[in-house]
């Protein structure tokens, strides 16, 4: 999934560059508006102090406390 997201971001960046060079400001703006919610979601996940995804294999678990 990260690979597809990376391809999408690279594709948007390339399209925006091409649209800017060709003088197609409206198309560049629309590409940016499509890209914006995705990058905002990733930024929100990165700066959230309480992540919603559980860490796999990291940190203390309940089974560690039972063994002591």
């Amino acid at each position: 999934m990260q690979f597809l997201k990376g391809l999408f971001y690279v594709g948007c960046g390339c399209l925006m560059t091409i649209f800017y060079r060709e003088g197609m400001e409206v198309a560049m703006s629309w590409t940016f508006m499509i890209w914006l919610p995705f990058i905002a979601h990733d930024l929100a996940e990165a700066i959230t102090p309480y992540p919603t995804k559980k860490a796999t294999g990291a940190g203390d678990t309940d089974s560690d406390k039972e063994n002591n």
Side-chain angles (χ1 to χ4, degrees), residues 13 15 17 20-21 24 27 31-32 35 40 44 53 56 61 67-68:
L15 281 175
T17 304
Y20 179 76
R21 284 181 45 198
M24 301 166 60
T31 305
F32 179 76
W35 172 78
K53 295 180 182 176
T56 56
T61 61
N67 293 335
N68 290 335

Side-chain angles (χ1 to χ4, degrees), residues 6-41:
L7 282 178
F8 174 71
Y9 289 168
V10 168
C12 285
C14 290
L15 281 175
M16 287 173 53
T17 304
I18 292 168
F19 292 152
Y20 179 76
R21 284 181 45 198
E22 298 297 323
M24 301 166 60
E25 287 85 8
V26 174
M28 184 181 69
S29 296
W30 274 105
T31 305
F32 179 76
M33 294 303 279
I34 291 169
W35 172 78
L36 191 61
F38 294 100
I39 196 65
H41 180 265

Side-chain angles (χ1 to χ4, degrees), residues 15 42 52 63:
L15 281 175
D42 286 347
T52 56
S63 61

